[in-house]
Amino acid sequence: MTALPSFAEFYEALHGRDPFPWQTRLADQVLAADWPDLLDLPTGTGKTSALDVALYAMARVPERTPRRAILVVDRRIVVEQGAVHARMVCRRLAEARRGPLFAIAEVLRSLFGSKKENGAPFAVAVLRGGAPRDDDWAKRPDQPVLGVSTVDQVGSRLLFRGYGVGPKLASIQAGLMGNDTLILLDEVHLAVPFAQTLRALRGRYMKSQADLPDRFRVVEMSATPTGVRPSNALELSDDDRAHPLIRKRIGAHKPAKLVEVTVHGNEGQRRAKIAKEAAQAARALQAEGVKTIGVVLNRVDTARQVYALLSGEEEFPKVVLVTGRMRPLDRDRVVAQGLIHADASRDRSSAVPVIVVATQCIEAGADLDFDGLITELASLDALKQRFGRLDRRGELAERGLSARSVILARADALSPDADDPIYGTALGSTWRYLNLHAKQQTVDMGVSALIASPPGPEESSTLVSPHTVAPVLLPGHIEAWAQTSPLLRPDPDPDVSLWLHGPQRGAADVQLVWRGDLEVADLQTWADVDERGVERRDEVVSALEMFRPSALEALPLPLHAAKEPVVDLGDLAQLRGRGTLALRLHPASSEWLGRVELPKPQDESTSTEDRETIQEWLQTLPSDPPDVAGLRPAEWKRILGARLRRTPAVLGSGAGPYFAISERLPAGKLDAEERVAEATSEDDASSFGPADVSLRRHSADVRAKAEEFVKTLQIPSAVANDVVLAAWLHDVGKADARFQMVLAGGDAATVAAKGEPQAKSRLPNMSAARRRQVWNASGLPRGYRHELTSLSMIEDNAAILQRCNDHDLVLHLVASHHGWCRPFAPAVAGDQEVREVKLELERPGDPVLAIQGAQARDTLRWTEGSPSGSGGSIGAMGFGDWPGSEAILRLADHRASEEVASTGGTP
């Protein structure tokens, strides 16, 4: 194997320059000992490179380095920028054929058995609300991962309530997040409650067994840290401050003019006055030749007013609006078409003049670099973040320019008793602090200038934004969250958002989705009892089932803030989120087709003439139609034409019937960064697939995959033995003759022809109704779970129990391997007859094992003292270890099934 490079060699090959001194010191510290608890670094000094350090450590000291490194920041735009960084690193390592990058990539591939020299050496995880769900990072527990995430996505997964994750998958995600994971919590001042929750988990609830590897870490990162400073914090040294790039960035002068704005009238009129002043200040900077200007306001409504004032003038440069209340697809468009012109890495010689009007959503971590900044007064910590986007790289002086900025303060917010909904009483204190250090109403907001005049400890507490506090985390909360059974969630079920963000002020947000083909009248008829009302309701349901609403097209906001309709993004959401080409040829949902006449069905039933109608309509389109759902015009027309081999659906609406086409695109039609991956198959239909697989072979395959995982993860032998044993035995309950009849589609001759019990069956497509008929005819009661039969068979076999080091763990893994029995199994009635289920499994070098048992017991017996229940989840094996072991087994099951299916099945 190629000799491993030093961190400096690795970093230089990756980025084309030497690392900063602090980056090298961090890498040395991680390799020699452990991560610091805090990275206290100013903005612009490259905190994102902590991901590079984590990746390098995975290759150098994998035995004690977490396999997953997740950068967590509570700003969606910053998550996307972090994703760009992670994907760039992955691409560079995958493409390397020699040198430092190739050497590190080789080691990373070996950690999870990758045989492809040009394969991705790690997975990239992008977890944020409104993003296409991609669980490729969660396919293997041993796969190295670089990830970026919001607090909501990581925190909810860690606490067994993953947002957007089904209940049967929740324990897998918790097992991955709570084990072998490094959480880099960036801009920690924005996530104080979550930081408190992480400290509680790490300090009180993640006490692993002594012989299990402890690879869960939390590192806080911030330019404005709060709370008690840890003794092992890493900060800039004299060598860092002397480095040419850092010296240029933190030494840049950022003079800001302090302007107090007198306001009158009601709140709306006062915001309008601030908006007018901000727009005028931006015009003034633009007139002076400032090309890239940021305008940051404290309220969404004020930002929209400024945007309206500036965007209506033709002589003005490009103006873009960025707020937290944007649909993800709208935000992506703004980033691609607008923020790119303010990106810190842009080519300034050919930069397009742009004004970015935004709220606080860009103030932390976003790699934007403005030449001028207009900002509404905020707390001092928030202002530091905002001014981190002004002359971010300190390059204006090299071009003979200087940064220009203005801080606007509403006069009514400056009194000591003024209590702002966001910043509390910090506005007045911050204004007085700034004026104290100002000269001629101008204060330098550069990093070095602020460091030179720091406030005292008592004064500091009055200058920062108030933050909420997470509730005390008690064992009962964790015990409740660990109960993830789809049918039997605890009641009450603690709301995890309190431990992620603390108690929130104001109205809770709802998710709004706009669909042009569904009129308000359609929804109002849901409560109608007449025949037409029922028909209209069914039409709405059919349209929504065919084109399911997606988080990509959803807008989070208080219900009272919903106003006028917006552009329908349903079709684009289907493509980006699900890889489905969706075309609703309805006048109100097809603005992207241009002003062309849309085809209409002859009636509300589908006929063969429908295809001819759309084919003829295709010929009427211009040769260069606009882009549709992100596809090039020619590609769109070709795909649409090919899809017409199948009859399109005809849907009803208030505007009459219209065509709708929905087809899954081949994976190759989507960019790799947009492709949706399904890492797991959790429903009972997973017993049916493209191949027949014997129970004997499936048991051996899952056992082998589990052995591979525990070996690459360096799990101690005692625990490894139990995980592998449970993997081997997890499906033995499928030997029940009744279950074999279900797998055979109710055909006894098929069961006899197989000659031995099957784990999976290749059946022709059957409707749900037909499958219910087969199930009922088999004699299996409703709610039956084959896991419980497996459990009974194991418990009744002394030879098997003797092979367990921890029989509770083995039983838990078997009972929970489909996400049920956490902690309660479904109640089963009408299955009281004692039956014998016998199965022989052969393992090379071992004698034949005869396992016998009965499913007939009351399955609710599993609820008392169950290791799947509350006690086992935070018992001797700690908060994360049991779910971690469960994740190993369940992912071994999924991957083994996936590999057999891809080869067409085996005996």
Side-chain angles (χ1 to χ4, degrees):
M1 179 176 289
T2 307
L4 293 183
S6 67
F7 176 74
E9 293 169 332
F10 167 71
Y11 189 92
E12 193 280 331
L14 185 61
H15 297 287
R17 66 170 179 82
D18 293 334
F20 293 142
W22 76 260
Q23 293 167 333
T24 300
R25 291 203 316 277
L26 176 62
D28 291 343
Q29 177 176 338
V30 171
L31 294 183
D34 204 347
W35 285 84
D37 293 319
L38 172 68
L39 297 181
D40 180 5
L41 302 166
T43 185
T45 53
K47 293 193 297 293
T48 304
S49 65
L51 287 173
D52 304 339
V53 174
L55 190 70
Y56 180 76
M58 290 181 206
R60 289 294 305 271
V61 284
E63 66 279 0
R64 55 181 178 82
T65 300
R67 290 293 174 95
R68 290 169 289 277
I70 312 292
L71 177 66
V72 180
V73 59
D74 222 13
R75 290 289 186 266
R76 294 182 181 182
I77 288 177
V78 184
V79 168
E80 283 305 306
Q81 292 183 336
V84 171
H85 175 89
R87 288 166 179 153
M88 178 276 293
V89 175
C90 188
R91 183 176 62 253
R92 293 291 309 279
L93 266 66
E95 294 173 349
R97 296 295 177 270
R98 62 181 65 86
L101 299 186
F102 176 73
I104 295 297
E106 258 197 328
V107 175
L108 294 174
R109 293 187 188 104
S110 71
L111 294 181
F112 65 113
S114 176
K115 302 295 191 292
K116 298 180 181 179
E117 180 178 296
N118 61 344
F122 62 89
V124 175
V126 182
L127 306 174
R128 66 168 175 82
R133 179 179 166 188
D134 185 350
D135 281 344
D136 186 66
W137 67 274
K139 296 183 76 168
R140 295 179 59 111
D142 57 348
Q143 178 175 235
V145 174
L146 286 191
V148 285
S149 175
T150 59
V151 166
D152 279 329
Q153 293 298 316
V154 157
S156 63
R157 283 167 166 80
L158 185 62
L159 300 181
F160 291 88
R161 293 295 182 267
Y163 297 156
V165 177
K168 288 183 286 186
L169 298 177
S171 59
I172 294 180
Q173 299 269 331
L176 294 175
M177 283 298 177
N179 290 272
D180 242 345
T181 298
L182 165 69
I183 294 180
L184 299 165
L185 184 56
D186 198 8
E187 308 301 349
V188 68
H189 64 286
L190 299 175
V192 172
F194 185 49
Q196 295 168 336
T197 298
L198 288 173
R199 292 170 196 153
L201 285 174
R202 178 65 178 155
R204 299 200 297 272
Y205 299 114
M206 287 193 172
K207 297 175 181 177
S208 301
Q209 283 186 329
D211 59 343
L212 279 173
D214 180 12
R215 294 192 291 247
F216 180 84
R217 293 289 182 273
V218 177
V219 177
E220 298 178 4
M221 308 195 304
S222 184
T224 54
T226 60
V228 179
R229 183 182 180 82
S231 59
N232 64 347
L234 187 146
E235 59 186 6
L236 294 185
S237 66
D238 291 340
D239 288 342
D240 290 301
R241 285 184 279 271
H243 190 281
L245 287 180
I246 292 183
R247 183 176 68 244
K248 181 170 63 174
R249 294 176 184 180
I250 68 175
H253 294 288
K254 303 178 183 182
K257 184 179 180 182
L258 304 179
V259 177
E260 184 173 330
V261 180
T262 302
V263 294
H264 301 284
N266 58 34
E267 179 63 19
Q269 292 170 325
R270 298 180 183 192
R271 292 185 186 180
K273 181 65 180 298
I274 282 289
K276 181 179 179 181
E277 292 287 339
Q280 289 177 346
R283 290 192 191 100
L285 290 188
Q286 189 268 335
E288 295 172 8
V290 180
K291 294 183 67 174
T292 306
I293 302 170
V295 184
V296 185
L297 291 309
N298 296 346
R299 303 289 190 276
V300 173
D301 177 63
T302 313
R304 288 173 176 164
Q305 291 185 52
V306 174
Y307 174 75
L309 290 170
L310 296 177
S311 59
E313 302 182 11
E314 295 183 359
E315 73 276 9
F316 229 61
K318 176 186 284 289
V319 182
V320 296
L321 175 67
V322 186
T323 74
R325 289 183 182 169
M326 299 180 72
R327 293 178 294 181
L329 288 173
D330 288 328
R331 186 184 298 108
D332 292 345
R333 174 183 51 80
V334 168
V335 170
Q337 299 179 6
L339 289 188
I340 190 173
H341 301 299
D343 188 85
S345 61
R346 68 185 181 274
D347 182 358
R348 294 179 180 273
S349 63
S350 59
V352 175
V354 64
I355 295 180
V356 177
V357 181
T359 56
Q360 300 94 326
C361 67
I362 69 164
E363 73 181 25
D367 197 18
L368 303 175
D369 195 349
F370 300 124
D371 301 333
L373 177 66
I374 311 298
T375 177
E376 192 173 356
L377 176 67
S379 60
L380 184 61
D381 57 325
L383 288 177
K384 287 180 179 180
Q385 295 294 334
R386 296 181 189 186
F387 276 88
R389 306 323 117 194
L390 176 65
D391 194 15
R392 183 171 177 80
R393 300 199 172 182
E395 297 176 347
L396 287 177
E398 295 177 348
R399 295 186 287 129
L401 303 173
S402 60
R404 306 293 301 277
S405 62
V406 177
I407 301 176
L408 300 173
R410 276 174 46 169
D412 63 330
L414 302 180
S415 63
D417 59 345
D419 188 7
D420 185 82
I422 299 176
Y423 300 106
T425 60
L427 293 182
S429 300
T430 298
W431 190 247
R432 289 185 287 275
Y433 170 81
L434 295 176
N435 277 276
L436 179 65
H437 297 281
K439 296 179 180 179
Q440 299 180 344
Q441 292 300 111
T442 300
V443 62
D444 190 348
M445 297 297 292
V447 174
S448 294
L450 291 173
I451 292 175
S453 55
E458 292 186 4
E459 186 182 14
S460 293
S461 64
T462 69
L463 301 175
V464 298
S465 308
H467 58 76
T468 58
V469 176
V472 175
L473 186 60
L474 300 174
H477 299 132
I478 300 175
E479 291 171 359
W481 291 327
Q483 300 177 35
T484 60
S485 173
L487 297 180
L488 297 168
R489 286 284 184 95
D491 185 15
D493 189 1
D495 181 1
V496 296
S497 68
L498 295 174
W499 283 265
L500 306 183
H501 302 292
Q504 298 297 296
R505 301 171 66 178
D509 283 354
V510 297
Q511 299 284 336
L512 294 186
V513 173
W514 279 265
R515 287 293 177 85
D517 56 334
L518 302 177
E519 298 181 356
V520 174
D522 295 327
L523 302 180
Q524 291 175 339
T525 59
W526 279 47
D528 292 351
V529 294
D530 61 14
E531 183 177 348
R532 181 51 184 157
V534 173
E535 292 177 358
R536 295 285 291 279
R537 179 199 61 195
D538 291 344
E539 290 172 358
V540 172
V541 172
S542 296
L544 290 176
E545 284 181 341
M546 187 170 184
F547 304 97
R548 292 174 294 153
S550 165
L552 289 172
E553 55 180 320
L555 174 65
L557 80 172
L559 187 58
H560 65 78
K563 296 181 181 181
E564 69 279 355
V566 294
V567 174
D568 185 326
L569 297 177
D571 292 347
L572 181 57
Q574 300 302 308
L575 179 74
R576 296 300 181 214
R578 299 187 176 100
T580 297
L581 179 67
L583 296 170
R584 292 166 295 139
L585 303 182
H586 183 282
S589 64
S590 305
E591 294 182 2
W592 38 260
L593 286 174
R595 298 184 178 278
V596 296
E597 185 176 353
L598 296 173
K600 290 183 68 66
Q602 297 298 317
D603 52 44
E604 296 189 15
S605 62
T606 304
S607 66
T608 55
E609 286 78 15
D610 290 332
R611 284 177 290 185
E612 298 177 2
T613 298
I614 298 184
Q615 290 282 18
E616 293 174 358
W617 170 75
L618 273 175
Q619 304 308 314
T620 68
L621 289 180
S623 58
D624 188 26
D627 283 3
V628 178
L631 297 177
R632 292 185 299 276
E635 181 72 357
W636 174 79
K637 292 181 71 175
R638 187 190 66 76
I639 292 175
L640 178 59
R643 291 302 179 273
L644 292 178
R645 289 193 299 268
R646 296 180 60 177
T647 304
V650 175
L651 299 176
S653 175
Y658 61 99
F659 288 117
I661 301 172
S662 178
E663 292 288 343
R664 184 81 175 187
L665 289 176
K669 295 301 179 186
L670 293 176
D671 292 338
E673 295 175 2
E674 297 170 341
R675 192 173 305 141
V676 177
E678 294 293 344
T680 55
S681 54
E682 282 298 306
D683 57 21
D684 291 327
S686 62
S687 292
F688 303 92
D692 291 325
V693 184
S694 71
L695 185 50
R696 173 175 50 83
R697 175 57 188 270
H698 178 64
S699 299
D701 288 344
V702 178
R703 180 191 63 214
K705 187 61 66 175
E707 286 177 332
E708 176 186 343
F709 288 167
V710 297
K711 180 179 179 181
T712 56
L713 289 171
Q714 301 184 34
I715 302 297
S717 59
V719 177
N721 170 83
D722 289 347
V723 172
V724 172
L725 182 62
W728 183 37
L729 302 173
H730 74 289
D731 263 354
V732 294
K734 288 184 176 181
D736 189 313
R738 298 169 298 174
F739 197 87
Q740 291 298 305
M741 283 292 289
V742 172
L743 290 178
D747 185 358
T750 300
V751 174
K754 297 297 182 183
E756 65 174 315
Q758 301 291 294
K760 298 182 182 295
S761 174
R762 177 172 53 198
L763 283 178
N765 291 331
M766 292 192 299
S767 66
R770 173 57 182 158
R771 287 193 174 180
R772 283 195 298 272
Q773 291 174 358
V774 171
W775 184 276
N776 294 335
S778 73
L780 286 174
R782 184 177 182 181
Y784 166 91
R785 298 299 316 174
H786 68 270
E787 302 97 300
L788 273 298
T789 301
S790 299
L791 190 70
S792 295
M793 296 169 73
I794 294 171
E795 284 190 305
D796 286 345
N797 191 287
I800 289 296
L801 293 178
Q802 289 176 358
R803 297 177 62 171
C804 303
N805 292 293
D806 183 341
H807 77 278
D808 279 347
L809 173 60
V810 174
L811 298 178
H812 165 82
L813 295 177
V814 171
S816 63
H817 81 268
H818 273 295
W820 300 88
C821 306
R822 295 187 51 83
F824 305 128
V828 176
D831 190 29
Q832 299 305 313
E833 179 185 352
V834 176
R835 297 173 180 269
E836 182 179 73
V837 180
K838 184 175 181 180
L839 175 69
E840 294 184 352
L841 294 176
E842 296 179 1
R843 177 183 175 121
D846 284 350
V848 174
L849 295 175
I851 306 175
Q852 302 179 35
Q855 162 74 13
R857 303 172 185 176
D858 178 3
T859 54
L860 281 178
R861 66 177 176 78
W862 185 238
T863 65
E864 296 184 7
S866 163
S868 298
S870 57
S873 63
I874 58 171
M877 295 193 70
F879 171 77
D881 293 330
W882 276 48
S885 299
E886 184 182 333
I888 293 174
L889 183 146
R890 295 177 68 184
L891 293 177
D893 188 9
H894 302 156
R895 301 289 77 77
S897 299
E898 182 180 77
E899 291 175 5
V900 169
S902 66
T903 60
T906 57

